[in-house]
C-alpha cells in the first residue's frame, strides 16, 4: 500500500513568478523544425475557426465562386491558375488541388498578406513548410474548384 504523504508535491518556495524557478514545460508557437516563430494577427470579430466552420456549413458549394456545376471539378492549367491572383478572385493550388481561397482570406490566423503570396500559384511548398500537420482538404473542402493539369 502506498503512503499518501509520499504522493504529495513539495510546496513551492517564493512567488510563482520567481526567476529562480525554471518552467516545468517550455512551449513554442512554431512546430518543431518549422523555423522561426511566426507572428499571428488579430482576426476581426466573427472570423474565428468556428466561424469559418459555420460559414462552410451554411454556404457550402457557394464558396467555390461562379463555377458551373456541370464543369465541376475543373481541370485547371497553370495559365488559368495565374489569372486568379486578386483578393476578390484568389485561387491557390495545394497538392495538385485548386481552391478558391477568397472567402477564407480573412479567417487565416497568419493574415491575408501571407496567403496573397500564393495567389494564382502553387502554394504547396510554403504550406508544407509552415503547416505540414494541417489538413488543408478539411479546412478548404467547400472551396475546392478542381485539379491541376
Amino acid at each position: 500500500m502506498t503512503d499518501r504523504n509520499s504522493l504529495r508535491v513539495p510546496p513551492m518556495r517564493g512567488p510563482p513568478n520567481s526567476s529562480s524557478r525554471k518552467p516545468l514545460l517550455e512551449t513554442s508557437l512554431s512546430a518543431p523544425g518549422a523555423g522561426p516563430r511566426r507572428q499571428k494577427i488579430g482576426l476581426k470579430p466573427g472570423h474565428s475557426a468556428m466561424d469559418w466552420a459555420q460559414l462552410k456549413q451554411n454556404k457550402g458549394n457557394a464558396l467555390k465562386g461562379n463555377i458551373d456545376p456541370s464543369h465541376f471539378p475543373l481541370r485547371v492549367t497553370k495559365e488559368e491558375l495565374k489569372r486568379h491572383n486578386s483578393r476578390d478572385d484568389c485561387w491557390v493550388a495545394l497538392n495538385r488541388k485548386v481552391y478558391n481561397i477568397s472567402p477564407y482570406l480573412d479567417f487565416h490566423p497568419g493574415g491575408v498578406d501571407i496567403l496573397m503570396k500564393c495567389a494564382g500559384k502553387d502554394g504547396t511548398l510554403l504550406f508544407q513548410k509552415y503547416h505540414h500537420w494541417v489538413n488543408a482538404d478539411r479546412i478548404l473542402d467547400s472551396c475546392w474548384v478542381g485539379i491541376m493539369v
Side-chain angles (χ1 to χ4, degrees):
M1 183 175 214
T2 307
D3 179 16
R4 290 182 138 217
N5 290 332
S6 68
L7 297 176
R8 287 193 183 156
V9 176
M12 279 183 24
R13 300 191 193 264
N17 295 342
S18 172
S19 61
S20 64
R21 187 168 174 93
K22 293 187 179 185
L24 296 175
L25 178 65
E26 292 185 17
T27 59
S28 170
L29 294 177
S30 296
R37 293 177 187 221
R38 294 176 309 279
Q39 183 80 20
K40 292 195 176 190
I41 60 138
L43 297 174
K44 299 175 198 171
H47 287 81
S48 70
M50 292 300 291
D51 294 317
W52 174 248
Q54 187 173 15
L55 181 68
K56 285 190 344 175
Q57 186 176 15
N58 294 339
K59 297 262 183 171
N61 288 335
L63 297 175
K64 295 179 189 319
N66 295 329
I67 295 177
D68 183 346
S70 66
H71 295 115
F72 181 79
L74 298 177
R75 295 173 48 89
V76 182
T77 64
K78 194 173 184 177
E79 292 74 29
E80 177 67 20
L81 181 62
K82 285 181 184 179
R83 287 192 273 273
H84 302 274
N85 63 0
S86 68
R87 193 180 194 310
D88 296 328
D89 183 23
C90 185
W91 288 11
V92 67
L94 298 172
N95 299 315
R96 300 192 46 88
K97 290 185 175 180
V98 179
Y99 300 94
N100 171 17
I101 63 169
S102 300
Y104 178 71
L105 292 173
D106 290 326
F107 291 86
H108 185 250
V112 174
D113 293 342
I114 194 73
L115 290 180
M116 290 306 295
K117 289 182 180 184
C118 296
K121 300 176 187 171
D122 187 336
T124 303
L125 292 177
L126 189 61
F127 182 85
Q128 288 178 347
K129 178 178 178 180
Y130 291 105
H131 300 305
H132 57 89
W133 66 93
V134 175
N135 184 341
D137 291 330
R138 183 166 181 183
I139 295 171
L140 300 172
D141 57 352
S142 295
C143 301
W144 182 54
V145 295
I147 311 162
M148 283 292 295
V149 292

